[in-house]
Amino acid sequence: RMQGPIYKQQVDQKIAQEAQSPQPSNAVAGAPIVTPYGWGSGITRRITHHPPESKEYVDYTCVYFGMDGGVTFDLHVSGVQGSCEATDQWAANVASTAGKISISNVSN
């Protein structure tokens, strides 16, 4: 509980930094979409790639910042095709698992 407000401030700073992070050359990044979760926040960005002498394509980057049970984590995924639903579920699973980690079961 004591870490919560401090961690929220750190996450807000990370979100602001992520929103301004440079994207690959020959690509156009869409506006970041921030999604709050009970365990943290996720940022999704649509990236349209314009490679020279090749057809353009679209993928997504997803970044998650979370804390559960006093355990913090940052997850970064890029090159996601279609939508970020599967990575959203993966991040939720990580959050659920992170909250259960302790010194006695960390090797599991």
Side-chain angles (χ1 to χ4, degrees), residues 5-6 10 12 30-32 37-38 43 45 55-56 62-63 73 76 78 80 99 104:
I6 295 168
Q10 290 172 345
D12 291 344
Y37 296 99
I43 305 168
R45 262 191 145 156
K55 186 178 178 181
E56 83 174 28
C62 304
V63 180
F73 55 90
H76 299 259
S78 60
V80 176
S104 64

Side-chain angles (χ1 to χ4, degrees), residues 13-31:
Q13 290 172 347
K14 289 179 182 183
I15 289 170
Q17 288 172 349
E18 186 64 33
Q20 300 198 4
S21 66
Q23 295 303 312
S25 61
N26 297 322
V28 176

Side-chain angles (χ1 to χ4, degrees), residues 11-12 15-16 19 31-37 40-45 63 65:
V11 167
D12 291 344
I15 289 170
I33 299 170
V34 179
T35 306
Y37 296 99
S41 296
I43 305 168
T44 303
R45 262 191 145 156
V63 180
F65 305 110

Side-chain angles (χ1 to χ4, degrees), residues 39 67-73 75 89-102 105-106 108:
W39 45 262
M67 178 170 69
D68 196 357
V71 176
T72 62
F73 55 90
L75 308 172
Q89 184 58 50
W90 169 69
N93 290 341
V94 168
S96 174
T97 302
K100 298 172 188 166
I101 293 175
S102 68
N105 69 7
V106 74
N108 294 341

